[in-house]
């Protein structure tokens, strides 16, 4: 996900066609014309609540995603790498900010959304529950995880909800820098010493399958289990199926792996002339559902860090609120 929206089969609602309620004619007209729905427009309640969930989950993923990479800022191998990594991790904080702001236009409060994250009622992308064991993981995350995020998020720049679509335009520009810096860091390692090459290959071996899982379960074909896709497509929020996006990612990534001189860990990966796409092996979705349920290698650690950061930041929020109140009072006194 990280912009893609899905749940495990146990809690996915079934998709039903949307009846046109009175007062929503404009909504369906705008969606039909591929226009943008703005916060002031009437919208179906489940469109609103589903967008709140998707945008919040996306925002949570951006800020939790700072953790696996943040761990390597103090251990980056050079000043140049450190500066790049710091810029990237700060970008992710910024993405969280744009997205919480976009969610707030739908009538929810950021504090409420953070509370849902901290109490486990809202999720974040399962990819961030895997550990970053070596420096090569940082390059691999940029290349594969940010690469998969771009494939998911570029279509969201055209999604029907205006504030979300506009936030995604800037996010995607920054994600493309993230992907390139990852590729470049990994290229340097894979063309370095034999040990560096081995380290790069090991990281790719560990991140490849979780990256494919980022697109969610099958939502097309005989094995479809994902529940939100049909509705989301009717609303103009989702443009392509999880499977189509995953295929696009695989097709884009295989030649890049060749350029890196690294192997993708899938014996079934091969070009299919008749389909005009790469075939690839079966994904272990049980692993994905286990990680979503909280049983991934780093779930507990990520959540503990997040809650602690929130508690330790309480004084900043209090100070900012006190400052805003004082400024407002001064302005009122000045006007009187
Ligand atoms: Fe991001
Ligand atoms: Fe990113």
């Amino acid at each position: 996900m990280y912009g893609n929206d899905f749940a495990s089969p146990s809690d996915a609602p079934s998709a039903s066609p949307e009846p046109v309620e009175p007062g929503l004619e404009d909504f369906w007209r705008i969606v039909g014309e591929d226009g943008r729905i703005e916060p002031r427009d009437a919208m179906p309640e489940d469109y609103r609540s589903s967008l709140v969930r998707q945008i919040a989950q996306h925002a949570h993923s951006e800020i939790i995603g700072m953790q696996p990479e943040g761990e390597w800022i103090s251990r980056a191998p050079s000043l140049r790498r450190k500066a790049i990594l710091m810029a990237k991790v700060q970008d992710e904080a910024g993405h969280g900010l744009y997205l919480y702001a976009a969610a707030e236009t739908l009538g929810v409060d950021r504090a409420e959304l953070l509370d849902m994250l901290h109490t486990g009622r809202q999720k974040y992308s399962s990819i961030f529950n895997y550990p970053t064991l070596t420096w090569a993981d940082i390059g691999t995350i940029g290349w594969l995880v940010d690469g998969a995020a771009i494939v998911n998020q570029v279509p969201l720049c055209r999604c029907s909800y205006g504030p979300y679509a506009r936030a995604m335009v800037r996010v995607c520009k920054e994600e493309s820098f993230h992907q390139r810096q990852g590729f470049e860091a990994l290229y340097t390692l894979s063309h370095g010493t034999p040990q560096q090459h081995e380290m790069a290959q090991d990281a790719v071996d560990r991140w490849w399958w979780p990256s494919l899982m980022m697109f969610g379960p099958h939502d097309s074909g005989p094995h479809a289990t994902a529940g939100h896709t049909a509705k989301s497509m009717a609303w103009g929020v989702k443009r392509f199926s999880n499977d189509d996006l995953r295929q696009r990612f695989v097709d884009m990534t295989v030649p890049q792996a060749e350029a890196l001189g690294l192997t993708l860990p899938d014996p079934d990966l091969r070009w299919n002339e008749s389909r005009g796409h790469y075939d690839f092996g079966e994904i272990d979705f049980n692993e994905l559902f286990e990680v979503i349920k909280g049983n991934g290698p780093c779930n507990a650690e990520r959540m503990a860090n997040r809650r602690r950061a929130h508690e330790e930041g309480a004084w900043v929020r209090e100070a900012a609120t006190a400052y805003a109140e004082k400024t407002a009072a001064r302005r009122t006194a000045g006007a009187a």
Side-chain angles (χ1 to χ4, degrees):
M1 86 213 95
Y2 200 173
N4 198 350
D5 181 40
F6 61 86
S8 63
S10 53
D11 56 19
S14 62
S16 59
E18 193 64 26
V20 179
E21 291 166 38
L24 291 177
E25 293 85 358
D26 279 350
F27 171 85
W28 288 108
R29 183 184 50 76
I30 294 168
V31 168
E33 289 167 355
D34 208 10
R36 296 288 166 270
I37 303 295
E38 296 299 335
R40 61 175 180 270
D41 295 333
M43 60 186 86
E45 174 49 29
D46 52 352
Y47 174 84
R48 193 195 68 83
S49 59
S50 153
L51 269 172
V52 167
R53 191 195 57 241
Q54 177 172 349
I55 300 173
Q57 181 168 306
H58 192 163
H60 301 331
S61 303
E62 299 286 356
I63 62 167
I64 296 272
M66 297 168 73
Q67 290 188 36
E69 294 185 284
E71 284 173 12
W72 279 88
I73 290 175
S74 61
R75 294 179 284 172
S78 68
L79 185 58
R80 175 172 171 266
R81 294 287 179 206
K82 192 193 286 273
I84 293 171
L85 184 58
M86 281 173 66
K88 182 191 190 267
V89 173
Q90 282 181 0
D91 280 354
E92 306 301 4
H95 297 173
L97 191 67
Y98 315 151
L99 288 162
Y100 285 120
E104 284 188 311
T105 64
L106 289 159
V108 284
D109 187 70
R110 188 181 315 187
E112 211 177 291
L113 298 177
L114 284 169
D115 192 52
M116 303 257 263
L117 170 66
H118 299 150
T119 52
R121 284 173 293 152
Q122 278 180 345
K123 306 281 187 203
Y124 56 89
S125 178
S126 57
I127 193 77
F128 300 119
N129 291 314
Y130 291 87
T132 39
L133 302 180
T134 71
W135 171 251
D137 289 43
I138 300 306
T140 308
I141 289 179
W143 176 45
L144 293 179
V145 175
D146 291 88
I150 293 169
V151 172
N152 262 332
Q153 293 173 6
V154 164
L156 287 171
C157 298
R158 296 192 296 117
C159 101
S160 62
Y161 189 58
Y164 192 26
R166 289 189 287 273
M168 292 321 294
V169 173
R170 181 157 172 186
V171 167
C172 284
K173 283 187 183 151
E174 293 174 351
E175 294 301 355
S176 114
F177 149 68
H178 298 171
Q179 201 262 357
R180 275 153 193 259
Q181 67 81 34
F183 183 88
E184 196 259 347
L186 209 55
Y187 189 94
T188 305
L189 286 176
S190 75
H191 293 82
T193 65
Q195 289 94 324
Q196 285 174 322
H197 181 89
E198 202 180 305
M199 194 163 89
Q201 183 62 57
D202 171 66
V204 170
D205 289 347
R206 284 181 288 107
W207 287 92
W208 174 246
W209 291 105
S211 301
L212 292 189
M213 291 173 202
M214 285 174 69
F215 296 91
H218 295 302
D219 58 355
S220 58
H223 304 296
T225 55
H228 301 312
T229 298
K231 262 193 170 184
S232 204
M233 281 191 167
W235 285 328
V237 173
K238 195 174 170 68
R239 301 279 175 177
F240 303 96
S241 72
N242 295 348
D243 294 302
D244 285 347
L245 292 169
R246 184 165 22 239
Q247 182 71 63
R248 188 175 298 179
F249 174 70
V250 172
D251 291 348
M252 178 185 104
T253 307
V254 174
Q256 295 174 359
E258 282 162 13
L260 286 168
L262 297 171
T263 313
L264 296 171
D266 179 358
D268 297 324
L269 190 67
R270 64 180 61 87
W271 179 251
N272 182 324
E273 194 62 57
S274 62
R275 290 201 313 122
H277 292 290
Y278 283 94
D279 287 339
F280 52 97
E282 237 346 279
I283 297 163
D284 178 8
F285 283 113
N286 289 331
E287 176 180 326
L288 174 67
F289 296 136
E290 279 305 309
V291 180
I292 291 176
K293 266 193 256 162
N295 303 326
C298 301
N299 294 59
E301 183 189 330
R302 302 287 185 243
M303 285 306 290
N305 285 342
R306 172 91 278 281
R307 287 192 202 102
R308 198 183 58 239
H310 190 72
E311 280 157 24
E312 288 176 355
W315 70 271
V316 180
R317 293 189 295 278
E318 279 160 24
T321 310
Y323 178 75
E325 280 164 4
K326 265 190 193 168
T327 313
R330 221 174 285 141
R331 211 174 290 133
T332 318

